[in-house]
Amino acid sequence: MHRLFAATLTVVVAAALAVGAALGIVALLNATPDQPNRPLVHYETPERDQ
């Protein structure tokens, strides 16, 4: 009985850690960046004569 309880407790703790990690990752992905999203390299386009 002791082994069954230990196995059950291990499964419950592992599931809780997995859910917590998933929620943490989702929270990090939804966080707004500190800097504006600008390209590091910008190529000037020549203006066309009309």
Side-chain angles (χ1 to χ4, degrees), residues 17-31:
L17 285 174
V19 170
L23 292 176
I25 289 171
V26 168
L28 285 175
L29 290 176
N30 284 336

Side-chain angles (χ1 to χ4, degrees), residues 4-14:
L4 181 61
F5 177 71
T8 305
L9 185 63
T10 302
V11 168
V12 169
V13 170

